[in-house]
Every structure is written in structure tokens, then in C-alpha cells.
Amino acid sequence: MPTFQIEQYELHVIRYKVKTRNEAEAIAKVLNDEAEPVDGSLEFVEVAEDFGMPADDDQQLVRQLGKLGVQVDDVIPSIRSVERVG
């Protein structure tokens, strides 16, 4: 039986500590990579089902997923890539 490696899109949040005069400057520092992440604050939020492999890229895979009950519209929900590794 083959083995596959799957990449799945997920949403995570992380907290940053920023010393500035106001909220706008704090946001600007985070967006410009000038803020310090708070240790241990990375937290899983949810699987990012709005992102995924374009369904047009592999119609055979889309048909197989449909037979397994996986609904596919424009993208294969949350899946970035599939690679056979063994």
C-alpha cells in the first residue's frame, strides 16, 4: 500500500509584544516584521477550507474524492499538495 505526504492549509494565530505610541504604530510594526513574538503563543484556529489545490488541476482526483463523499467545488478544500513518498 503506498504512502502519501499531504500538506494542509491551517490558520494559526500568534501574539506579538510591541512598544509604540498607539495601535496603528503597533500594527505597522507587526506587518513590517519589527515585533517580537510572545513565546508559546502560537495557537491553532481552524483548517483553512477556503484554500486548496485547484480542482481543474486533477479532474480524476476530484472524481475519486466525490465517490468518497468529499465535496469539491473550485478547490480541493484545505489541501495544498499531495506527494507519493513510498
Side-chain angles (χ1 to χ4, degrees):
M1 185 175 300
T3 301
F4 296 89
Q5 186 168 307
I6 310 291
E7 289 182 315
Q8 183 177 46
Y9 290 108
E10 298 178 342
L11 296 177
H12 293 81
V13 295
I14 189 167
R15 287 182 202 89
Y16 292 91
K17 199 180 289 187
V18 185
K19 288 187 180 186
T20 63
R21 291 176 288 197
N22 57 53
E23 291 174 344
E25 286 182 8
I27 291 170
K29 283 191 176 253
V30 169
L31 295 177
N32 291 323
D33 293 325
E34 298 172 359
E36 185 175 324
V38 175
D39 286 342
S41 70
L42 183 65
E43 180 182 335
F44 172 79
V45 175
E46 65 185 17
V47 172
E49 294 185 357
D50 292 338
F51 298 91
M53 295 172 50
D56 292 340
D57 287 0
D58 193 336
Q59 287 297 314
Q60 181 180 357
L61 178 58
V62 169
R63 284 190 296 277
Q64 291 171 338
L65 288 168
K67 290 178 183 176
L68 295 170
V70 176
Q71 183 177 343
V72 175
D73 294 318
D74 295 330
V75 297
I76 298 172
S78 80
I79 301 303
R80 181 176 183 216
S81 68
V82 179
E83 180 183 356
R84 187 175 178 159
V85 293

